[in-house]
Amino acid sequence: AQTVTQSQPEMSVQEAETVTLSCTYDTSENNYYLFWYKQPPSRQMILVIRQEAYKQQNATENRFSVNFQKAAKSFSLKISDSQLGDTAMYFCAFMKPGANSKLTFGKGITLSVRP
Amino acid sequence: EAGVVQSPRYKIIEKKQPVAFWCNPISGHNTLYWYLQNLGQGPELLIRYENEEAVDDSQLPKDRFSAERLKGVDSTLKIQPAELGDSAVYLCASSPGLGWSYEQYFGPGTRLTVT
């Protein structure tokens, strides 16, 4: 079974600064997919970024980028130029491909952006 | 385009009472998911539908939980009887298809409090 670990329960960052959220996972699979989801206080969860394990290039989406270290089973999210609207819970998630694929989420991290 | 709609947003019931949650997925999305999210935790899959067929209900406590997706569109999740430990947020998500390449779109959730 796959596990996803987010060991930092809370983080805080000053507006316009950069912050990195950590995530590690455990799997015996070689092909899989990793995701970061954002859940603002309104609770509607949205996809921030995703990474295919077979791709060496780290995914980027505007101010969001990941540092994917496959050997270390690490998948951190970097948020550049933090904005107040980035305040939310962030969940790291794992999915293996196949007909029975499903998302396995970590416990999440609460990020607060200070004005 | 309307997102995933869930109702009610909040529900307070006494233990041993029944409760039902309703979900209307994004139009055209064949795959529908119900997740349970306990406080301070990531979502956990309860059941997944492909059209009207439940393709993964291995995590659904079938002694008290039931779900249906008539005509492969709207879905209802029911708990009967509710227990104190069922207090949580119940999230519904939908996607165009099954698998990693299909982004899951989440609804706002129903926060259930069992007293």
Side-chain angles (χ1 to χ4, degrees), chain B:
Chain B
E1 180 182 88
V4 176
V5 179
Q6 290 188 249
S7 69
R9 291 294 310 277
Y10 304 91
K11 187 74 175 180
I12 301 174
I13 61 171
E14 294 183 347
K15 62 181 180 181
K16 301 185 181 180
Q17 295 300 306
V19 64
F21 314 124
W22 176 79
C23 173
N24 179 237
I26 293 174
S27 177
H29 281 195
N30 297 324
T31 308
L32 183 145
Y33 310 79
W34 281 104
Y35 288 90
L36 165 69
Q37 186 176 20
N38 287 305
L39 184 65
Q41 303 290 323
E44 299 175 21
L45 181 69
L46 287 173
I47 189 168
R48 179 177 67 214
Y49 281 93
E50 187 67 21
N51 296 308
E52 64 271 16
E53 181 183 0
V55 296
D56 183 359
D57 63 355
S58 58
Q59 301 303 310
L60 189 71
K62 299 181 182 64
D63 57 335
R64 298 184 300 107
F65 286 66
S66 64
E68 61 182 10
R69 191 185 184 195
L70 300 177
K71 300 182 180 179
V73 182
D74 294 1
S75 179
T76 302
L77 178 69
K78 298 178 181 178
I79 308 175
Q80 182 171 10
E83 297 179 352
L84 294 176
D86 296 331
S87 295
V89 175
Y90 292 82
L91 297 171
C92 179
S94 70
S95 68
L98 191 63
W100 74 274
S101 61
Y102 297 108
E103 178 180 343
Q104 293 187 26
Y105 295 82
F106 286 80
T110 296
R111 180 181 294 277
L112 173 67
T113 301
V114 183
T115 63

Side-chain angles (χ1 to χ4, degrees), chain A:
Chain A
Q2 286 68 227
T3 59
V4 178
T5 302
Q6 295 179 254
S7 56
Q8 308 156 302
E10 296 181 9
M11 287 194 74
S12 178
V13 64
Q14 194 75 31
E15 193 175 8
E17 297 294 308
T18 295
V19 64
T20 299
L21 310 182
S22 301
C23 172
T24 59
Y25 58 94
D26 188 25
T27 183
S28 58
E29 303 286 337
N30 187 51
N31 189 26
Y32 49 87
Y33 309 96
L34 296 163
F35 307 83
W36 278 97
Y37 278 85
K38 170 185 178 181
Q39 191 175 40
S42 67
R43 305 202 76 86
Q44 195 130 12
M45 193 173 298
I46 58 173
L47 178 65
V48 175
I49 198 166
R50 60 183 159 198
Q51 173 81 42
E52 296 93 320
Y54 65 86
K55 288 187 177 180
Q56 292 187 339
Q57 186 173 7
N58 289 322
T60 62
E61 287 287 343
N62 301 313
R63 298 184 294 108
F64 299 88
S65 61
V66 298
N67 183 4
F68 173 48
Q69 302 289 327
K70 191 173 183 179
K73 296 181 181 176
S74 170
F75 183 60
S76 60
L77 174 69
K78 185 172 80 172
I79 306 175
S80 304
D81 186 25
S82 296
Q83 301 176 0
L84 296 179
D86 295 333
T87 293
M89 281 204 73
Y90 287 82
F91 293 94
C92 179
F94 172 101
M95 177 187 280
K96 67 176 184 179
N100 292 322
S101 61
K102 66 177 183 180
L103 283 170
T104 299
F105 288 88
K107 289 186 176 182
I109 178 172
T110 300
L111 176 67
S112 300
V113 179
R114 306 185 305 274

